[in-house]
């Protein structure tokens, strides 16, 4: 596909801008928090210059790969520029207001600070914690409402380009079902969270049946908001546990899973 060099410059500028914004936010916020509530255990150390160069190189490689996949028609251009700016604007003050709580939790190593109202019997043990020190873990509407921005800051603006890495292998794998109608192909996104991956999947697979599954009601509600205005068939959302998927054998043709495995205990990883 012949692409417009200006669009590529716009894409790279957007990614670099987000990367700088993410880094700046982390630097400013941790300095400020440490000023207000000093953490005596927090040690600063010099980062090896070569490590920084390597990180920069992998970010550049990620952007190149993202662009190449778009040029190969794996997904439409609109995905490259799909950023919820208005939502981020609303979420940003909330992220700041939440920061003292996150900081204190991290400082005091409080990892099970969850809403009192939750029924712990409904969740696996490993799930009942504050992943990445986030307020309420995955168990509140508040947590779900700021998740997208928090993740994008954590990954220096590359959360969506990393999510898109699943699309090419999925397209390649689904070639095995070329004899079927696209509308009979089912793709499941396990631990779909706030639904950002579902949006990427719908962009790349406009006709296929897409299902998102997650354990968190709050995150599923957030996902429902994200996908409600998408073109194409309705995406199905299911509350369920990835350890015990409610699907018949061979009933799915594609499965994706983004940003979940690093949060699972070792035993579960082996089971998968
Ligand atoms: C880091 S988030 C990733 C969300 C999403 N995939 C994304 O790209 O942002 C992890 C998600 O996994 C979900 N989760 C964790 N353990 C799960 C399980 N056993 N079954 C279903 N969902 C689970 C959480 O509720 C949360 O929404």
């Amino acid at each position: 596909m012949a692409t417009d060099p200006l669009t590529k410059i716009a894409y790279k500028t957007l990614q670099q801008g987000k990367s700088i914004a993410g880094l700046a936010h982390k630097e400013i916020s941790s300095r400020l928090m440490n000023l207000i509530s000093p953490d005596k255990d927090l040690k600063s150390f010099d980062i090896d210059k070569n490590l920084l160069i390597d990180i920069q190189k992998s970010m550049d490689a990620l952007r190149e790969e993202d662009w190449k996949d778009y040029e190969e028609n794996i997904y439409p251009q609109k995905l490259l520029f799909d950023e919820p700016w208005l939502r981020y604007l609303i979420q940003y003050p909330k992220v700041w207001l939440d920061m003292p709580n996150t900081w204190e939790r991290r400082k005091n190593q409080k990892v099970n600070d969850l809403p009192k109202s939750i029924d712990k019997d409904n969740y696996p043990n490993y799930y009942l914690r504050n992943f990445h020190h986030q307020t309420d873990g995955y168990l509140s509407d508040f947590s779900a409402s700021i998740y997208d921005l928090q993740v994008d800051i954590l990954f220096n603006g590359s959360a969506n380009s990393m999510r898109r890495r699943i699309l090419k292998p999925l397209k390649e794998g689904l070639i095995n079902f070329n004899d079927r109608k696209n509308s009979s192909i089912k793709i499941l996104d396990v631990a779909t969270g706030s639904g950002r991956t579902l949006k990427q999947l719908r962009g790349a697979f406009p006709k296929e049946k897409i299902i998102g599954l997650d354990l968190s009601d709050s995150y599923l509600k957030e996902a429902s908001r994200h996908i409600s205005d998408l073109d194409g068939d309705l995406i199905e959302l299911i509350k369920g546990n990835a350890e015990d998927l409610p699907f018949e054998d061979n009933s799915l043709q594609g499965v994706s899973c983004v940003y979940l495995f690093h949060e699972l205990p070792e035993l579960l990883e082996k089971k998968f």
Side-chain angles (χ1 to χ4, degrees):
M1 183 205 288
T3 52
D4 167 13
L6 273 181
T7 313
K8 186 168 184 183
I9 293 171
Y11 163 71
K12 287 205 160 182
T13 309
L14 169 73
Q15 294 300 322
Q16 275 157 3
K18 282 175 53 172
S19 170
I20 291 166
L23 281 168
H25 171 88
K26 280 186 281 201
E27 180 67 18
I28 295 168
S29 59
S30 49
R31 278 176 188 252
L32 193 70
M33 285 300 130
N34 208 30
L35 203 71
I36 298 168
S37 171
D39 180 354
K40 60 177 172 28
D41 295 328
L42 194 69
K43 294 189 178 52
S44 66
F45 54 90
D46 291 333
I47 298 178
D48 180 0
K49 214 174 87 200
N50 291 327
L51 176 66
L52 289 177
I53 294 171
D54 281 351
I55 294 174
Q56 191 52 52
K57 276 190 192 153
S58 23
M59 297 280 284
D60 290 344
L62 172 70
R63 285 172 203 140
E64 276 304 320
E65 208 176 322
D66 202 20
W67 183 261
K68 204 166 124 256
D69 282 358
Y70 150 64
E71 284 188 319
E72 286 175 13
N73 266 331
I74 306 290
Y75 36 81
Q77 192 185 91
K78 65 177 180 200
L79 285 191
L80 295 178
F81 294 95
D82 177 39
E83 302 294 342
W85 296 116
L86 189 63
R87 280 197 69 76
Y88 281 174
L89 207 67
I90 297 166
Q91 290 173 350
Y92 195 54
K94 285 177 136 192
V95 168
W96 269 102
L97 288 173
D98 183 45
M99 213 164 306
N101 301 326
T102 313
W103 181 261
E104 288 304 318
R105 215 175 288 117
R106 189 198 61 78
K107 215 172 89 175
N108 302 315
Q109 291 301 306
K110 266 178 100 176
V111 293
N112 304 104
D113 181 17
L114 296 172
K116 301 270 173 296
S117 55
I118 56 161
D119 185 348
K120 295 193 172 173
D121 294 340
N122 290 342
Y123 303 98
N125 264 343
Y126 79 86
Y127 192 82
L128 296 168
R129 57 181 289 134
N130 306 89
F131 293 95
H132 311 286
H133 314 287
Q134 71 200 92
T135 297
D136 302 332
Y138 291 123
L139 293 162
S140 76
D141 292 358
F142 175 77
S143 159
S145 77
I146 57 173
Y147 168 83
D148 283 337
L149 182 55
Q150 284 179 319
V151 172
D152 224 17
I153 290 172
L154 185 69
F155 293 143
N156 296 335
S158 61
N160 274 337
S161 6
M162 295 209 294
R163 287 188 180 105
R164 284 193 283 273
R165 305 282 53 76
I166 62 164
L167 299 176
K168 188 173 180 179
L170 205 47
K171 276 226 158 145
E172 288 168 352
L174 289 179
I175 290 174
N176 292 315
F177 300 98
N178 263 355
D179 54 337
R180 295 191 185 197
K181 277 174 119 180
N182 288 21
S183 57
S184 75
I185 303 278
K186 275 193 189 165
I187 303 170
L188 168 70
D189 186 42
V190 178
T192 200
S194 62
R196 307 305 300 181
T197 309
L198 295 174
K199 208 168 180 189
Q200 315 276 336
L201 284 167
R202 178 48 85 221
F205 302 99
K207 301 237 169 74
E208 287 74 353
K209 283 198 176 8
I210 298 177
I211 307 163
L213 175 137
D214 203 280
L215 254 182
S216 165
D217 284 297
S218 297
Y219 277 65
L220 286 170
K221 280 192 275 175
E222 190 65 29
S224 163
R225 261 192 289 278
H226 275 315
I227 59 177
S228 61
D229 60 350
L230 293 184
D231 292 338
D233 281 3
L234 195 65
I235 295 178
E236 193 181 346
L237 293 175
I238 297 179
K239 182 178 174 179
N241 190 341
E243 296 171 81
D244 186 18
L245 292 174
F247 301 99
E248 300 282 321
D249 285 354
N250 300 318
S251 62
L252 303 163
Q253 287 66 52
V255 178
S256 59
C257 185
V258 177
Y259 305 151
L260 170 68
F261 279 75
H262 69 291
E263 294 182 351
L264 299 180
E266 200 188 350
L267 205 87
L268 193 62
E269 275 174 30
K270 281 189 186 140
K271 200 168 128 191
F272 270 93

